Amino acid sequence: MINSRAYESLEERFARVRVLEDVAGILGWDAQAIMPVGAASERAKQLAVLRGLAHEVLTSSDVPDLLDDADAQRARLDPWQSANLREMRCAFVHAAALPQDLVVATSKATSHAEMVWREARRTSDFALLLPHLETVLDLQRETGQVKSEALGTSTYDALLDQYDPGLRQGCIDPLFDALRQELPVLIAEATERQHLASAPIPINGHFPVEAQRKLGETLMRAVGFDFTHGRLDISLHPFCGGATGDVRITTRYDEGDFTQSLMGVMHETGHALYEQGRPAAWASQPVGQARGMTLHESQSLLIEMQACRSPEFLAYLSPLLTDAFGREDPAWSPENLHRVYTRVQPGFIRVDADEVTYPAHILLRYDLEKAMIAGDLAVADLPAAFNSGMKALLGVTVPNDAQGCLQDIHWPSGAWGYFPTYTLGAIAAAQLFAAACSAERNIRTSFASGDFSPLVGWLRANVHAKGSLLGTDDVLTAATGKSLGLEAYRDHLRQRYLWRDLVT
Amino acid sequence: MINSRAYESLEERFARVRVLEDVAGILGWDAQAIMPVGAASERAKQLAVLRGLAHEVLTSSDVPDLLDDADAQRARLDPWQSANLREMRCAFVHAAALPQDLVVATSKATSHAEMVWREARRTSDFALLLPHLETVLDLQRETGQVKSEALGTSTYDALLDQYDPGLRQGCIDPLFDALRQELPVLIAEATERQHLASAPIPINGHFPVEAQRKLGETLMRAVGFDFTHGRLDISLHPFCGGATGDVRITTRYDEGDFTQSLMGVMHETGHALYEQGRPAAWASQPVGQARGMTLHESQSLLIEMQACRSPEFLAYLSPLLTDAFGREDPAWSPENLHRVYTRVQPGFIRVDADEVTYPAHILLRYDLEKAMIAGDLAVADLPAAFNSGMKALLGVTVPNDAQGCLQDIHWPSGAWGYFPTYTLGAIAAAQLFAAACSAERNIRTSFASGDFSPLVGWLRANVHAKGSLLGTDDVLTAATGKSLGLEAYRDHLRQRYLWRDLVT
């Protein structure tokens, strides 16, 4: 007999899962932002219990029948409920595919590998991490395999699907193959053109944390961040976290140079706007969550790269810097800020990379992680492969593993299949921004007066408020008229980095 | 058949309950210290889910059998395990006694009454709160009744037992009856004697929050607060909260007068030392928790009243104030600090009361809440009863209900049976301090050099490290050689407030 309240029962279950995830979100933020160091082991225990409870609710034995019963009555569901049911099944499939012992083994192995990684990176000692990374890889491969059976995908696609449901290697390859061809040419041309222009005046001075924080809050407010539902704090690794209705971003400050933290804050604000703009009526349900990491990264990069590195925004920013730091300085003229914030310089570190060279770091990691998951590249051979890739893609010679394959936490922490979403996000950001600027003609000019409402209004309607109603590519198609493609991204990079007028 | 692993199973259950309570502890701290205002309703939902989960674990259907089986095998338990089993049963009895609908009704009624109370206090409008307070009282009475059946006590004793297991009206009445006789005389004498001495030089100036915070941290470190397992932050209502291994205290700063916040920090540090000194091996179990609110309050008052208002401590503090605020000032000579910090002045507000008049506020509330629970005093008659009590006990005429019976959050929030522990704590603090000073002769003199280790070492051994191994009165008897009594408290007050040498 069919349970006529199956869908409603599922909503209750998933609301409870959401609460547990929100609680974990606050505790996770706390751990990175303000927790006293001695509390780490208790906190790990708390998070493990919360994750275990959420997993229990999600995979309790009657959920498959509830999903089937709700599916059988799908005709009575409205489009949001129907999409919610689809998202519930997706969450259930991912959770139920994993046997408990694999969950526990992964949790232990990644906690341990992360810890070892910190030491290995500090001492640039890949051999120290090697056995732990091998264990994590084996467990990731196993995760991909069991999920691939449940999802009917390849192993690597099953890993991708965790971060962006529906994302497949088949969607990525054409984009990344084209980039692999075009990027070295673009980097060379941009660098050459840059040599013809004057170098930026270096940013020098003492920029007190408190002044930087206040400026960051001013900019966040201008962009539309709601401080009654969020915070700005400090952590070693900047992130956007928190919970439903309580979106917390972090940054770290360098008192000798405000430029990186400032754009870091705008980047995280882009993530936060997405979180704050999700459909409130569905906040407790899967369909009310952000669509996936590609769109999430598109929102952070749209704000940081498309909006905040635009000449219009930098013209707005320039006098605010004078206010914030109590003096005028030619280093923060709009023109110089533009030179600083569009400087192209191949380097070793992904998170420090400029907009043009950044995708090279991702292409390399994408190739390497696919090869490792497939068993075509042994972990022991990773450093050599990494370094030769850096030479080929960016022409740089990696001096040591700390500045090479040990620089990122992703692999030791078990985030395989995550890297491509950074560059997919950058591509989507360009496409969304171009569509927004076509639809709302005053978007760019409004930046000059610190008015982001034309842009954010468009993003709210076309991305944020959709939650997970549609798939990633359907969101893009509805918003921009086409699937994810390179045109707008290519135009954006050429416009910003190869345009003749910039040679001043 | 008896489950031979019953005790071990219970330890696992209670460790899980502890984790959920720790999580709620961090979220509760967050809500009061740093949460953005718009997140309040989501936070309430999160805390309700966590409390519900803890309650589920605590009262799951096999717990009574596990308790019985473990009891039947008590011979194989060591004294800590045996005490742990006793504490488990106590927690179970309290939790299981309450029907689910009473829990839900209480949670709703108190949340609502608290909200209304804020407005009622702001506008001094008792009529606004009246119906809500009546509902809360009815539910508290019902709680007391169902628990009294489970515990075999009176209704009011069952409420007391929630905050201090084993505490009974029969223990309180002789102490409070004596105080009711002696206090008016003591207040009159102390006030008279004070008139003969010179008035304190008022504390005037601008005392920046950051300077106060640094000084507070310095003093906390001196007393032995471990910042690797705790924090100091700001909240409207100061408290000590957090989680296992992560003890977080708060204060609020007045930039025109540092004196209240400073002693407030020392008060909360007293609570925190207890939390940080609990037996680490039993941290996840009921027997590893603090004994109850009487001993907890004794630890905060021992630090604040006994230690930090002593002439020796104030001599240590005086030069630190000069350092902290960058100037010398006769207002913070040791002698003047002593006059400031031992000023007796009957007033309306409990939390602002001095050490001598404070118990009068408690005696009044104790009488009133007993009468209301017994049905001898209608809530509608509370303001008149409150005001006539204040006149009788302290000789003051309450100008309005905001400064009268609306001043405290306890009753609207459902904390009935809590008030007496404040004064019981003050009495216990005096008794413990006297015993400590007899056992360790250098306790007072060490304060003068900022060395609290003789005192804190004694407290660690005699109170903190005992956790809930013994009952409250057994802790006191083991530590001081006798049951809770008024001798040391009386001596302390006479010594500090009636001693001839203070007339200078």
Side-chain angles (χ1 to χ4, degrees):
Chain A
M1 207 181 93
I2 280 186
N3 176 346
S4 66
R5 285 190 39 84
Y7 174 79
E8 287 73 16
S9 293
L10 287 166
E11 277 205 352
E12 284 163 26
R13 309 291 180 93
F14 278 87
R16 174 161 279 221
V17 172
R18 182 71 246 148
V19 167
L20 292 167
E21 285 170 351
D22 279 344
V23 171
I26 297 295
L27 290 194
W29 169 86
D30 184 274
Q32 291 196 59
I34 60 170
M35 184 183 73
V37 291
S41 62
E42 287 293 331
R43 181 58 49 85
K45 211 197 291 179
Q46 292 156 10
L47 288 169
V49 166
L50 290 168
R51 287 196 198 104
L53 284 166
H55 194 260
E56 264 174 41
V57 179
L58 202 52
T59 61
S60 64
S61 56
D62 55 348
V63 170
D65 285 345
L66 288 171
L67 287 168
D68 290 344
D69 286 359
D71 257 335
Q73 302 162 83
R74 195 183 273 270
R76 75 167 174 87
L77 302 182
D78 71 25
W80 279 90
Q81 293 172 320
S82 187
N84 196 29
L85 182 56
R86 179 196 68 218
E87 296 301 312
M88 288 168 170
R89 188 175 286 279
C90 175
F92 170 75
V93 168
H94 271 284
L98 293 182
Q100 190 63 26
D101 58 351
L102 181 54
V103 174
V104 174
T106 298
S107 172
K108 277 191 192 158
T110 55
S111 294
H112 197 62
E114 265 188 42
M115 215 169 58
V116 174
W117 166 75
R118 283 175 219 282
E119 179 62 15
R121 185 173 70 161
R122 199 180 63 78
T123 55
S124 197
D125 182 357
F126 184 76
L128 184 66
L129 181 64
L130 178 58
H132 305 284
L133 193 54
E134 285 174 334
T135 304
V136 172
L137 170 60
D138 288 344
L139 292 166
Q140 284 293 301
R141 195 184 292 121
E142 198 180 334
T143 295
Q145 278 162 354
V146 297
K147 288 193 170 182
S148 73
E149 284 161 33
L151 293 163
T153 65
S154 75
T155 301
Y156 186 68
D157 280 351
L159 295 175
L160 290 172
D161 201 83
Q162 303 176 115
Y163 303 107
D164 202 344
L167 181 61
R168 301 289 177 261
Q169 190 184 330
C171 327
I172 302 173
D173 281 343
L175 299 168
F176 280 19
D177 286 347
L179 273 185
R180 206 173 278 107
Q181 297 300 317
E182 297 170 27
L183 205 58
V185 183
L186 181 68
I187 295 171
E189 287 184 14
T191 312
E192 190 184 335
R193 192 161 293 256
Q194 189 172 256
H195 282 312
L196 301 175
S198 46
I201 305 164
I203 306 275
N204 278 321
H206 178 73
F207 308 104
V209 163
E210 187 50 23
Q212 291 193 53
R213 192 190 58 75
K214 274 192 187 156
L215 174 62
E217 287 193 1
T218 300
L219 296 172
M220 288 167 72
R221 276 204 185 83
V223 176
F225 185 91
D226 175 3
F227 276 97
T228 67
H229 287 95
R231 294 179 52 92
L232 167 65
D233 294 276
I234 295 175
S235 73
L236 190 58
H237 300 283
F239 68 103
C240 171
T244 305
D246 189 357
V247 180
R248 303 183 177 192
I249 72 169
T250 66
T251 189
R252 61 183 160 198
Y253 298 104
D254 174 354
E255 292 201 318
D257 182 359
F258 61 82
T259 56
Q260 223 178 346
S261 175
L262 191 152
M263 281 299 162
V265 167
M266 300 321 291
H267 180 97
E268 301 306 335
T269 299
H271 283 303
L273 289 177
Y274 193 1
E275 289 298 314
Q276 292 189 334
R278 292 191 281 108
W282 293 96
S284 71
Q285 295 298 311
V287 76
Q289 307 312 303
R291 176 61 286 182
M293 288 319 301
T294 294
L295 278 186
H296 232 307
E297 196 65 19
S298 83
Q299 296 308 291
S300 57
L301 290 172
L302 199 152
I303 296 297
E304 182 198 348
M305 294 296 179
Q306 303 289 330
C308 294
R309 293 186 196 238
S310 69
E312 293 85 356
F313 176 83
L314 297 173
Y316 160 65
L317 176 62
S318 177
L320 294 184
L321 293 170
T322 298
D323 291 349
F325 303 122
R327 62 184 174 86
E328 304 206 20
D329 192 318
W332 52 72
S333 70
E335 299 71 26
N336 195 61
L337 286 174
H338 191 271
R339 280 191 289 265
V340 166
Y341 276 130
T342 58
R343 193 78 183 158
V344 178
Q345 178 67 58
F348 307 118
I349 304 299
R350 177 183 62 82
V351 297
D352 294 339
D354 59 79
E355 188 178 15
V356 179
T357 58
Y358 193 100
H361 295 269
I362 297 305
L363 295 176
L364 173 61
R365 284 157 179 76
Y366 175 63
D367 291 344
L368 295 174
E369 71 176 15
K370 275 192 304 176
M372 286 189 281
I373 290 289
D376 297 335
L377 173 66
V379 179
D381 298 329
L382 174 61
F386 190 97
N387 296 351
S388 83
M390 286 295 281
K391 185 78 192 169
L393 280 158
L394 284 172
V396 298
T397 303
V398 174
N400 56 51
D401 292 334
Q403 293 180 77
C405 65
L406 284 175
Q407 69 184 268
D408 294 310
I409 197 175
H410 299 61
W411 289 332
S413 75
W416 298 64
Y418 188 104
F419 276 125
T421 64
Y422 288 115
T423 287
L424 295 170
I427 299 169
Q431 186 164 326
L432 287 165
F433 190 65
C437 291
S438 296
E440 306 285 339
R441 290 289 167 182
N442 61 339
I443 281 180
R444 286 171 180 281
T445 50
S446 300
F447 292 162
S449 58
D451 179 8
F452 285 75
S453 59
L455 172 62
V456 174
W458 190 90
L459 292 174
R460 286 268 184 265
N462 288 278
V463 180
H464 306 172
K466 303 283 189 196
S468 289
L469 181 65
L470 309 171
T472 300
D473 214 57
D474 295 329
V475 173
L476 283 168
T477 304
T480 71
K482 52 196 167 198
S483 274
L484 186 64
L486 283 175
E487 296 73 20
Y489 184 57
R490 207 180 266 137
D491 287 351
H492 161 71
L493 292 176
R494 286 189 182 144
Q495 168 92 15
R496 180 170 285 174
Y497 294 95
L498 304 184
W499 190 244
R500 199 171 296 268
D501 286 359
L502 291 180
V503 185
T504 52
Chain B
M1 206 181 93
I2 279 187
N3 177 345
S4 66
R5 284 188 40 82
Y7 175 78
E8 288 73 16
S9 293
L10 287 166
E11 277 206 351
E12 284 162 25
R13 308 291 180 95
F14 278 86
R16 174 162 281 222
V17 172
R18 182 72 246 145
V19 167
L20 291 167
E21 286 172 350
D22 279 343
V23 170
I26 297 295
L27 291 193
W29 170 87
D30 184 276
Q32 292 196 58
I34 61 171
M35 184 182 73
V37 291
S41 64
E42 287 293 331
R43 181 57 49 86
K45 211 197 292 178
Q46 292 156 10
L47 287 169
V49 167
L50 289 168
R51 287 197 197 103
L53 285 166
H55 193 260
E56 265 175 41
V57 178
L58 203 51
T59 60
S60 64
S61 57
D62 55 349
V63 169
D65 286 345
L66 288 171
L67 287 168
D68 290 344
D69 287 0
D71 257 336
Q73 301 162 84
R74 195 182 273 270
R76 74 168 175 86
L77 302 182
D78 71 25
W80 279 90
Q81 292 171 319
S82 187
N84 196 30
L85 182 56
R86 180 196 67 218
E87 295 301 313
M88 287 168 171
R89 187 175 286 278
C90 174
F92 170 76
V93 168
H94 271 284
L98 293 181
Q100 188 63 26
D101 58 351
L102 182 54
V103 174
V104 173
T106 298
S107 172
K108 277 189 192 159
T110 55
S111 295
H112 197 62
E114 265 187 43
M115 215 168 58
V116 174
W117 166 75
R118 282 174 219 285
E119 179 62 14
R121 185 173 69 161
R122 199 179 63 78
T123 56
S124 197
D125 182 356
F126 184 77
L128 184 66
L129 181 64
L130 178 58
H132 305 284
L133 194 54
E134 285 174 334
T135 305
V136 171
L137 170 60
D138 288 345
L139 292 166
Q140 284 293 302
R141 194 184 293 120
E142 197 180 335
T143 296
Q145 278 162 355
V146 297
K147 288 193 171 181
S148 74
E149 285 160 32
L151 293 163
T153 65
S154 75
T155 301
Y156 186 68
D157 280 351
L159 296 174
L160 290 173
D161 200 82
Q162 303 175 115
Y163 302 107
D164 201 344
L167 181 61
R168 301 288 176 262
Q169 189 182 332
C171 328
I172 302 173
D173 281 341
L175 299 168
F176 280 19
D177 286 346
L179 273 184
R180 206 173 280 107
Q181 298 300 317
E182 298 170 27
L183 206 58
V185 184
L186 180 67
I187 295 170
E189 287 185 12
T191 312
E192 191 184 336
R193 191 160 294 257
Q194 191 172 255
H195 282 311
L196 301 176
S198 46
I201 305 163
I203 306 275
N204 277 321
H206 178 73
F207 308 103
V209 164
E210 186 52 22
Q212 290 193 54
R213 192 190 58 74
K214 274 192 187 155
L215 174 62
E217 287 193 2
T218 301
L219 295 172
M220 288 167 72
R221 277 204 183 83
V223 176
F225 185 91
D226 175 3
F227 276 97
T228 67
H229 287 96
R231 293 179 53 91
L232 167 65
D233 294 275
I234 295 175
S235 73
L236 190 59
H237 300 286
F239 69 102
C240 171
T244 305
D246 189 357
V247 180
R248 302 181 177 192
I249 72 168
T250 67
T251 188
R252 61 183 160 197
Y253 298 104
D254 174 353
E255 291 200 321
D257 181 358
F258 61 82
T259 55
Q260 221 176 348
S261 175
L262 191 152
M263 281 299 162
V265 167
M266 300 323 291
H267 181 96
E268 301 306 334
T269 299
H271 283 304
L273 290 177
Y274 193 1
E275 289 297 315
Q276 292 190 332
R278 291 192 282 108
W282 293 96
S284 71
Q285 295 297 312
V287 76
Q289 307 312 303
R291 176 61 286 181
M293 287 319 300
T294 294
L295 278 185
H296 231 309
E297 197 65 19
S298 83
Q299 296 307 291
S300 56
L301 290 172
L302 199 152
I303 296 297
E304 181 197 349
M305 294 296 179
Q306 303 290 329
C308 294
R309 293 185 195 236
S310 68
E312 294 83 358
F313 176 83
L314 297 172
Y316 160 67
L317 176 63
S318 178
L320 293 183
L321 293 169
T322 298
D323 291 349
F325 303 123
R327 61 182 175 86
E328 304 206 20
D329 192 317
W332 51 73
S333 71
E335 298 70 27
N336 195 61
L337 287 173
H338 191 269
R339 280 191 289 265
V340 167
Y341 275 130
T342 58
R343 193 79 183 157
V344 178
Q345 177 68 57
F348 308 117
I349 305 299
R350 177 183 61 85
V351 298
D352 294 340
D354 59 80
E355 188 178 15
V356 179
T357 58
Y358 193 100
H361 296 267
I362 298 304
L363 295 175
L364 173 59
R365 285 156 178 76
Y366 174 65
D367 291 344
L368 295 173
E369 71 176 15
K370 275 191 304 175
M372 286 189 281
I373 290 288
D376 297 335
L377 173 66
V379 179
D381 299 329
L382 174 61
F386 190 97
N387 297 351
S388 83
M390 286 295 281
K391 186 77 192 169
L393 279 158
L394 284 172
V396 298
T397 304
V398 174
N400 56 52
D401 291 335
Q403 294 179 75
C405 66
L406 284 175
Q407 69 184 270
D408 294 309
I409 196 173
H410 299 60
W411 289 332
S413 74
W416 298 63
Y418 188 103
F419 276 125
T421 65
Y422 289 115
T423 288
L424 294 171
I427 299 169
Q431 186 164 326
L432 286 165
F433 190 65
C437 291
S438 295
E440 306 284 339
R441 289 289 166 183
N442 61 339
I443 281 180
R444 286 172 181 278
T445 50
S446 301
F447 293 163
S449 57
D451 179 9
F452 285 74
S453 58
L455 172 62
V456 175
W458 189 90
L459 292 173
R460 286 267 185 266
N462 288 280
V463 181
H464 306 172
K466 302 282 188 196
S468 289
L469 181 65
L470 309 172
T472 301
D473 214 58
D474 296 330
V475 173
L476 283 168
T477 304
T480 71
K482 51 196 168 197
S483 275
L484 187 63
L486 284 175
E487 296 73 18
Y489 183 58
R490 208 179 266 137
D491 287 349
H492 161 71
L493 292 176
R494 288 191 181 144
Q495 168 90 15
R496 180 169 286 173
Y497 295 94
L498 303 185
W499 191 244
R500 198 170 297 269
D501 286 359
L502 290 179
V503 184
T504 52

